[in-house]
Amino acid sequence: MSEQQREEISWADFEKVLIVAGTILRVEPFPEARKPAWKVWVDFGPYGERKTSAQIAALYTPESLLGKQIVGVINFPEKQIGPFRSQFLLTGFPTEQGVVITTVERPVPNGTRLA
């Protein structure tokens, strides 16, 4: 099946994916990662603080990420990445230059769900 011919999903399928806004609180190097990555901690409001490993080091410095409001998927099971437990998926778009993270156009409360 090609990229353009993906199977259609129902609204109920979409509602299962918890896609929410959160604010980046902390970013640290992840030297053990196979591909260049940062360890990222995000405040998801009522869902709490969660951490992830994100392969976004090609386009972003830790300083440029702090305070940025991002979009994450927070109901995947935790994933072990080397010595680190990833608790959510930081969404983004792959480009030839690196992954461009998904951000919100203007601030919303942390934990606001994508609709």
Side-chain angles (χ1 to χ4, degrees), residues 22-99:
T23 301
I24 296 177
L25 301 173
R26 182 166 51 131
V27 181
E28 293 181 2
F30 191 7
E32 302 90 350
R34 278 185 252 144
K35 294 182 180 177
W38 298 120
K39 295 177 185 176
V40 180
W41 284 261
V42 174
D43 175 5
F44 286 108
Y47 300 105
E49 183 178 316
R50 298 180 185 220
K51 62 184 179 177
T52 194
S53 166
Q55 294 176 357
I56 57 175
L59 295 179
Y60 302 95
T61 63
E63 299 77 26
S64 70
L65 291 166
L66 288 176
K68 191 175 286 289
Q69 198 167 45
I70 57 83
V71 177
V73 177
I74 62 170
N75 63 333
F76 281 126
E78 287 191 14
K79 183 177 179 181
Q80 189 75 37
I81 302 174
F84 191 72
R85 300 257 331 144
S86 186
Q87 300 172 319
F88 76 97
L89 171 70
L90 177 60
T91 62
F93 299 93
T95 70
E96 289 182 13
Q97 295 76 34
V99 176

